[in-house]
Amino acid sequence: MSGSRENGTFAALRGQLQDAATAFAGGPDALEGILLGMVDDVDRAVREPLEIFPVCHHSPASATAMARRLREKQPKVVYLELCEDMAPLLTELRNCRLPVAVQAFAGDVDGFPQDWAPLSVVAPITEASAEYQAIAYALDTPGVELVLVDRSADHVFQWDTGGEQTEEAAAQDTDAPVEAALHGEAVGVELGDLRPRFAELEEHLLRHGKVRHWSEWWHQYVEVPLGDAAADHDTYRQVMFLIGSLFRRLAPGDGARVRVDEDRERYMWTRMREHLASTGTDPADCLYVCGAFHAVSRVEEFGARGTGTFPISPRTATTWQYGLIPSSHAAIEAQFGLAAGSVSIASTEWAKSLKRTRVRPYRLAGQAGTKKPSAKKAPAAKARGSQAVVPAPESAAGDKDRLSGFLRRPPVLDGLDEAELLGWSVDIVRAARRNGYLASTADAIAVFETSVLLAGMRDRAKPTPYDFQDAAVTCIEKDAVPGRRDVRRLVEIMMGGDRIGQVGYDALPPLARDVHDRLAPLGLKPQQRGVQRALLDMASRPELRPCSDVLWMLRRLMPHGAARPIMGERRLGERSIQESWDLALGTHQRTLIELGYEGVSIEQVLEQRLRRDAYGPQATTATVLAAVEDAVLYLRSRRLADELGTHALKLLGTERSVDGAPEVLRRVRGLLAYYRTGEPVLPAWIESFVKTGYAHYCTLLPVAFRDEDATVGQVAAMLGFLFSVESLALSLGCDRAQLELAVAQSHPEEPSKTALLWAAQVQLGTLSRAELRHRCDALLDNPLVVPAYPRYLSGFVHALEPVPGLADVVVEAVSNAFGRLPDTVLLPWLPLLITTLRAGAAELAPLLIREAGRIFPGRLAALDAWIPPWRTPAAPPATRRSLPGVPRRQGVALLPAHPVTCDAVAELLGCTEGWTRSDVPPASGAGLLSVHPAACDAVAELLGCEGAWAASSAAPSGAALTTRHPATATALESLLTRP
C-alpha cells in the first residue's frame, strides 16, 4: 500500500492533506492518519474491479447518477444491498403506485423471544431513489440479472440480540398521523443510509452550514453540487466514497453497531463472490449498489478477490410472510429520522434534475402513476439523452483524480431564478388563503424578499426550498394557526406533498383480493383513500347480506375507522335489515395486507385470533366468553363456540378471584337468552357452566364479602349470577341450601357490602322487607352512622343488579334521608352521595330513576299534598256487606236463575242427563262413587289399591270408606303431603 501511496492516483491529494494536517495540528498525529486513511479508502474502492456504486437513501443526485451510469455501462449483473429473501416481490412493483415498501412479516416466532412478536422488516422504495432505477433497469432489460446480497430478514433479528431495533420501533410516536404510521412498528432496512454517527461532527456541520437539520445540509452541500450536469460519474463516486469514509472513521466506538455493520459487509461480499464463482461472470460486467458507508469497507472479505471467509448462520424456524405495503413520504421520514418534508422536496428536485440534465430515467413497464412518453417525443428524448452523456473510456475513467479538482473548485453560484421564486410566493399565499390565513399580495412580496434575504445571510446565491419555507413561516404565520395545517405543512404540500403509494390489486395477498371481490356488490372503490359511505338495504337486496357479514368481521379485525357502522348493529339474536357504513379500506391498506399474512380468508384469521385470545396465557373466563360470543356473532360456528365454551368452563374452576364477575355475568346472560330463544336445547357446555359457576361462586361468596380488594360491584355481579341462573341450576341438580349457607356465612364489614348482604337475605326470604326498612330507619337514627349512609345506599343501588325488585325500597331509603336529615347534615353529605353513586353504580341509576318516576307525583303542585306509599296507614281487610232486606245469592242459586247459560256449558261438555228434579235431594260425594264406579276404579288402580266394592245398597260414608280401604287412604295422604 505504501507504493500506491507514493505513485498512486491520489498522490497529490495525499500530499496536500498531509501538509494541511501538519499546519493545523503542528505535526503528524491522529488527524493525519484520518485524512490519509480517507484517501486510502477512496483509492481502494476505486481500484476494485467489481464496480461499486455508492448511494444515499432517496437521494435525487444518486438516482440521476445511477440512471446515467446504467445507460453507459449496461451491466449484466446488478448486486443490490437489499434483503436477499425479498427478491421474488420486486416484480410486483409494476402493479403498484410508488412509494411502496417491501415487507417481511412474521406473526409467530420460533427461535426469537416471544415478546418480540410480531416481527416486521420494511424496505421503502420511491421513484427518486437509485435502488428503484437499478431494479427497473434489471427487470425490464433482457439478459440482466438482479441479485439481492444483503442479510435476510431472519438475520436482521438474529444479529439484534438485545432487541434494540424492536424497542426503537415500539418507542415511536403513537400520536403521529396516519400517513406517518404506514410502516407500523416495522424495523426499516436502511438502504444507502448516510448520516454522521458522531454527534459533535453533525452539530459542527449544521452550525457552520447555517442550517437546522441534516437533510437541509445534505441538500445544500451534496445534492446540489453532485446533481449538476457537470458532475460526471467518477467525480460522483469519489465524492461519495470520501463522505462515506469520513463518517465511518469518525463514528463513535459502539461495538455492537460496528460489529453488525462489518458483518453485513462480510455477508454481502460473501454472497457476491459465491455468485461470481457459480456463474463465472466477469466482475467487470457487474455493478454493486450499496450505501456509501459500506462502499469503503475495510473487512478482509472486501472485493471480488477478498481473502476472508465469513460463515453464514442458518435461519431460524420462524415462518416469514412477504408482501408489498403502501408507503408515503411522511412514513419514510418517520422511519429513518429525516426532517419533515425532506422526501417531498427530494422528489421535486428529482423532477427538476431530470429536466436540467436531460437524463432518461428507468421505469418499470406498466408502472402505475408514471407518465408514458409519447411516440413523437421518444426519439427526441433519446437523442437528447445520447447527447447529454459522453462516456469516457473504461481504461482511463477510474485512473483519474477527480476528487482533488472537485474539492478545490469554488462552488458554482447558480443564479437566482426569479420566476420560480415568484411562483412559489404566489402559490403559498393562495394556499394560505384557502386554509384560513389573512394573506395578501403584500405577504407574497414579503415572502419573496425574505427568501432572498435569508439566502444571503446563509451565504447562498439562490434560496433553497428550506429558505423559502422559513420565509413563509415568518411572513404569513403570525400568531395562531386558523386551520388544521400550518404554513410549514402548506409549503411541504406545495413542493410535492406527502405522496402516498398504493399496492395494486394483482399484488395484494389472496385475503385482500377476496375482501375486494366480496365487497364488489356495494359498487365502491376499496382501494381509494379517504372515507366512502356504503348503504346496505338487505330487505330489498338480500344479496348484500354477505357484504354485511364481511364488514362486521373487518370491524372486528381492523383498526377503528377502517370499517365504522353508522346505522345498524349486530348483537346476539339480532340482525339489522338496513345498515350504513363509513369505509376507509384504502387508507388502512397496510393492515388489510398484513391480515393476508395470517390466513387466506378473514374467517380463518378471525378464528385464529379467537383461539389465540382464548388460549393465551392471560386469558380469563370473561375473555373466553367474549370469544364465544364473537364466534356466534361473526362466524355462526357452533363447533368453535362449543370448543371455546368448554375451555371457559375449565378456566372458571381455576379462578380464585372475582375480578371478572361483572363481565362473566353480562356474557352469560346474553348467551343464555340467545340459546333459549334460538336453540331447541341448551348446549351441554353452558349447562355445565351454570352448574359449575353456581357452586364456584357460592364457595367464593363469603370470602368476597370480607375481601377488601373485591369491590361491591364484583360481589353484586356474583349474586346476580347466582340469582339469575338459580332456577336453571336447581333444575340441573344444584342444591339451594349451598347458596343459603354461603349467605349465612358472609359477614362483611364495609357498609356497601353490608347493604348488599341485606338485599340478598331479602331475596332468599331470611329477611323481610319490614325488617329491612326498620334497619334503614335505624341507620338514620344513629348520628354515628349517618356519615356512612351514602355507602349503604351505594350497596343498595348495586343490589338492583341481583335483586331488581328492591327498587322501591331503595327509593324509599333515599327519600327518607332527604326528608329526615337536617340541612347541616345533608348538605355536606350530598356531594359524597352523588360521587359515590356516579362512580359505583352509574349504569343502575336509570332503574332507580324509573322507579322514582313511578312512585312520585308527576306534577310539582301535587307534591305538597302527596303522602309517600310507605307512610300510608294500612287499610283493614275489605268485607262484603249485603243490603238490608236483600238475601245473599249463592253460586248454586245462580244456576237455576240462568238455565240458558248452564245448558250451553252442558252441551259444550257433552252432558245429556238434563236437570235434576227439585224434589230429589242431590247426591253426596260418597254416592257419586257408587254412581260412577269407573272413575273410582281408575284412581284405585293408579294408587295401587286392591279390593272390591262393598255389596250394599246404601252408599257408605267417607269415614266408612277410609276404614274399608286403608291402603287408599294412606296413598292419598302421602300424595297430599309430598313436598
Side-chain angles (χ1 to χ4, degrees):
M1 199 68 183
S2 59
S4 62
R5 285 188 175 184
E6 296 175 359
N7 303 319
T9 305
F10 300 96
L13 181 59
R14 287 191 182 93
Q16 295 174 9
L17 294 178
Q18 188 173 8
D19 295 339
T22 303
F24 283 104
D29 59 354
L31 178 59
E32 181 182 359
I34 294 175
L35 295 179
L36 297 182
M38 292 165 50
V39 180
D40 293 340
D41 292 340
V42 176
D43 192 12
R44 183 186 185 192
V46 168
R47 292 179 180 276
E48 170 59 33
L50 195 160
E51 182 178 337
I52 304 174
F53 194 95
V55 299
C56 177
H57 192 55
H58 303 301
S59 167
S62 296
T64 304
M66 172 62 73
R68 182 188 294 116
R69 183 56 179 167
L70 290 173
R71 295 195 181 277
E72 292 177 359
K73 184 179 178 65
Q74 294 291 319
K76 298 180 180 178
V77 177
V78 177
Y79 298 113
L80 183 61
E81 179 193 347
L82 186 61
C83 294
E84 58 184 2
D85 49 344
M86 294 181 177
L89 290 175
L90 299 182
T91 57
E92 296 294 340
L93 289 175
R94 66 179 75 253
N95 298 319
C96 306
R97 185 174 68 238
L98 299 180
V100 295
V102 186
Q103 182 184 36
F105 183 88
D108 298 327
V109 297
D110 186 358
F112 300 107
Q114 291 295 329
D115 56 348
W116 288 13
L119 304 180
S120 181
V121 178
V122 296
I125 298 175
T126 62
E127 187 177 359
S129 63
E131 295 85 2
Y132 176 74
Q133 294 299 309
I135 293 172
Y137 164 77
L139 295 182
D140 283 353
T141 304
V144 177
E145 184 180 3
L146 178 64
V147 181
L148 307 186
V149 295
D150 200 359
R151 55 182 176 165
S152 65
D154 196 272
H155 287 91
V156 170
F157 292 95
Q158 280 190 35
W159 296 354
D160 183 29
T161 55
E164 293 87 355
Q165 295 184 10
T166 55
E167 292 175 2
E168 292 176 1
Q172 289 181 353
D173 186 10
T174 56
D175 297 332
V178 177
E179 291 78 7
L182 289 179
H183 296 173
E185 297 181 355
V187 175
V189 177
E190 299 179 357
L191 292 175
D193 179 54
L194 197 58
R195 185 168 184 167
R197 297 184 183 178
F198 190 37
E200 287 77 4
L201 173 61
E202 182 172 349
E203 181 182 357
H204 176 83
L205 294 176
L206 297 182
R207 183 175 65 254
H208 288 273
K210 299 179 181 180
V211 294
R212 293 168 301 164
H213 44 72
W214 174 250
S215 300
E216 186 175 357
W217 186 93
W218 181 267
H219 170 84
Q220 177 67 23
Y221 295 99
V222 180
E223 286 292 333
V224 174
L226 291 182
D228 187 68
D232 60 311
H233 171 63
D234 295 328
T235 303
Y236 168 84
R237 289 182 66 205
Q238 294 174 18
V239 170
M240 293 296 286
F241 286 147
L242 182 68
I243 295 175
S245 178
L246 173 65
F247 294 164
R248 190 182 189 97
R249 289 183 175 273
L250 294 183
D254 186 356
R257 189 166 186 179
V258 171
R259 177 186 57 81
V260 171
D261 290 333
E262 292 181 350
D263 286 347
R264 288 183 63 189
E265 293 155 4
R266 294 186 178 98
Y267 193 104
M268 290 187 285
W269 281 110
T270 300
R271 289 302 192 197
M272 284 187 285
R273 289 206 305 269
E274 291 177 353
H275 181 269
L276 292 174
S278 61
T279 59
T281 307
D282 186 359
D285 296 332
C286 303
L287 186 68
Y288 172 34
V289 183
C290 67
F293 188 88
H294 301 290
V296 290
S297 174
R298 299 188 300 273
V299 298
E300 296 180 357
E301 290 82 1
F302 178 86
R305 301 181 180 88
T307 58
T309 57
F310 179 68
I312 297 177
S313 60
R315 301 181 188 179
T316 64
T318 300
T319 302
W320 289 89
Q321 305 286 336
Y322 300 93
L324 296 171
I325 62 173
S327 183
S328 66
H329 293 168
I332 297 172
E333 293 160 358
Q335 187 76 42
F336 301 107
L338 303 177
S342 59
V343 180
S344 299
I345 294 176
S347 178
T348 304
E349 292 295 323
W350 158 253
K352 293 170 57 177
S353 177
L354 293 180
K355 294 180 180 179
R356 183 175 64 254
T357 60
R358 294 182 293 179
V359 173
R360 290 186 296 123
Y362 287 93
R363 291 188 177 94
L364 288 172
Q367 179 77 60
T370 58
K371 299 180 180 179
K372 297 181 179 180
S374 60
K376 296 181 180 180
K377 295 183 179 181
K382 185 176 181 180
R384 290 195 301 267
S386 61
Q387 294 173 4
V389 177
V390 180
E394 292 292 337
S395 59
D399 296 336
K400 294 181 179 180
D401 178 10
R402 304 298 180 91
L403 188 57
S404 300
F406 181 84
L407 294 177
R408 288 182 298 181
R409 185 180 61 190
V412 179
L413 298 179
D414 193 0
L416 173 63
D417 190 347
E418 294 186 359
E420 181 187 49
L421 184 58
L422 185 62
W424 287 357
S425 303
V426 173
D427 291 341
I428 189 59
V429 169
R430 183 184 298 112
R433 287 176 180 173
R434 288 197 300 264
N435 286 269
Y437 289 91
L438 299 177
S440 62
T441 306
D443 292 316
I445 300 174
V447 171
F448 181 91
E449 298 294 340
T450 307
S451 300
V452 177
L453 177 63
L454 288 177
M457 294 173 60
R458 295 167 179 174
D459 297 332
R460 301 170 187 170
K462 176 183 177 181
T464 65
Y466 299 96
D467 298 327
F468 171 76
Q469 189 179 52
D470 293 340
V473 173
T474 303
C475 299
I476 298 178
E477 193 173 296
K478 305 298 190 302
D479 297 329
V481 178
R484 295 187 299 110
R485 300 185 178 97
D486 56 5
V487 175
R488 190 173 303 278
R489 177 61 179 154
L490 294 178
V491 173
E492 294 173 8
I493 296 175
M494 189 189 70
M495 289 294 176
D498 184 17
R499 184 175 301 174
I500 301 175
Q502 185 182 76
V503 180
Y505 176 86
D506 295 331
L508 291 174
L511 181 143
R513 294 200 299 267
D514 179 63
V515 169
H516 289 176
D517 294 341
R518 295 167 68 176
L519 294 180
L522 297 179
L524 303 177
K525 298 178 180 179
Q527 293 193 353
Q528 179 179 338
R529 295 186 58 85
V531 178
Q532 302 179 77
R533 178 62 59 87
L535 304 176
L536 288 77
D537 186 4
M538 277 81 74
S540 60
R541 298 183 61 189
E543 67 274 9
L544 296 181
R545 194 167 296 276
C547 298
S548 174
D549 297 337
V550 173
L551 293 177
W552 284 108
M553 284 187 282
L554 290 177
R555 179 179 180 269
R556 172 64 172 76
L557 294 172
M558 298 186 67
H560 176 73
R564 184 167 61 94
I566 303 301
M567 181 184 67
E569 61 181 354
R570 175 159 292 194
R571 296 187 297 179
L572 289 174
E574 298 182 7
R575 293 292 186 273
S576 302
I577 60 175
Q578 288 183 338
E579 293 177 355
S580 176
W581 290 80
D582 276 352
L583 302 179
L585 298 182
T587 305
H588 296 83
Q589 191 181 45
R590 177 186 66 86
T591 308
L592 183 61
I593 292 173
E594 290 184 350
L595 287 180
Y597 300 153
E598 302 181 40
V600 296
S601 66
I602 52 177
E603 288 84 1
Q604 180 185 2
V605 174
L606 180 56
E607 181 174 348
Q608 290 176 356
R609 292 197 177 183
L610 293 178
R611 292 180 186 275
R612 184 177 59 193
D613 295 341
Y615 292 96
Q618 304 297 328
T620 61
T621 305
T623 57
V624 179
L625 290 178
V628 173
E629 184 174 341
D630 290 343
V632 175
L633 276 179
Y634 304 117
L635 298 178
R636 300 190 184 96
S637 174
R638 179 67 177 271
R639 169 191 55 81
L640 181 60
D642 291 348
E643 177 188 343
L644 298 180
T646 305
H647 183 62
L649 178 61
K650 296 178 182 178
L651 291 180
L652 180 64
T654 59
E655 291 184 352
R656 293 295 176 264
S657 65
V658 295
D659 296 340
E663 187 69 13
V664 170
L665 171 63
R666 188 175 67 86
R667 300 288 182 183
V668 167
R669 279 181 174 175
L671 290 171
L672 278 175
Y674 170 75
Y675 284 120
R676 280 173 171 170
T677 56
E679 300 287 342
V681 293
L682 291 177
W685 73 267
I686 202 168
E687 293 183 352
S688 301
F689 189 91
V690 170
K691 293 171 59 178
T692 305
Y694 190 86
H696 178 70
Y697 284 133
C698 283
T699 305
L700 294 180
L701 190 61
V703 180
F705 266 112
R706 294 187 62 88
D707 188 5
E708 296 181 356
D709 295 333
T711 64
V712 62
Q714 294 171 353
V715 180
M718 293 176 60
L719 290 173
F721 179 88
L722 294 172
F723 290 145
S724 60
V725 304
E726 183 181 12
S727 58
L728 178 59
L730 295 180
S731 66
L732 295 175
C734 295
D735 191 358
R736 194 171 193 263
Q738 188 176 5
L739 176 58
E740 295 175 349
L741 289 175
V743 174
Q745 294 174 358
S746 302
H747 304 287
E749 298 178 356
E750 187 179 354
S752 58
K753 293 183 180 179
T754 301
L756 187 61
L757 178 63
W758 293 347
Q761 292 173 349
V762 171
Q763 179 70 12
L764 292 176
T766 58
L767 183 68
S768 63
R769 287 174 172 259
E771 294 181 27
L772 180 61
R773 290 188 172 93
H774 177 71
R775 292 184 180 182
C776 293
D777 294 338
L779 294 176
L780 291 175
D781 293 337
N782 190 347
L784 299 178
V785 182
V786 167
Y789 194 72
R791 290 192 287 171
Y792 283 96
L793 289 182
S794 177
F796 282 128
V797 174
H798 278 96
L800 298 180
E801 179 73 46
V803 191
L806 283 181
D808 57 338
V809 178
V810 179
V811 172
E812 178 184 345
V814 176
S815 301
N816 288 337
F818 280 88
R820 295 175 55 179
L821 295 178
D823 292 344
T824 56
V825 178
L826 185 62
L827 292 180
W829 174 79
L830 190 59
L832 179 61
L833 171 65
I834 296 175
T835 56
T836 302
L837 294 180
R838 177 179 295 178
E843 67 277 0
L844 297 173
L847 180 61
L848 193 64
I849 296 173
R850 191 182 308 113
E851 183 65 21
R854 187 185 65 83
I855 294 178
F856 286 87
R859 297 184 178 275
L860 185 62
L863 187 61
D864 295 335
W866 176 73
I867 299 176
W870 53 86
R871 293 186 181 177
T872 304
T879 57
R880 296 182 60 185
R881 297 180 180 179
S882 59
L883 296 176
V886 179
R888 294 182 60 189
R889 304 181 66 183
Q890 300 293 334
V892 179
L894 289 174
L895 294 178
H898 303 281
V900 178
T901 303
C902 189
D903 291 339
V905 174
E907 182 179 358
L908 182 63
L909 298 176
C911 300
T912 58
E913 289 80 1
W915 290 85
T916 58
R917 293 178 302 179
S918 58
D919 55 346
V920 178
S924 62
L928 289 174
L929 296 177
S930 58
V931 175
H932 304 283
C936 187
D937 292 339
V939 174
E941 182 179 358
L942 180 63
L943 299 176
C945 302
E946 299 179 355
W949 287 90
S952 173
S953 58
S957 63
L961 287 175
T962 303
T963 305
R964 294 179 182 179
H965 302 282
T968 304
T970 303
L972 288 174
E973 181 180 2
S974 62
L975 181 64
L976 295 175
T977 58
R978 182 178 299 174

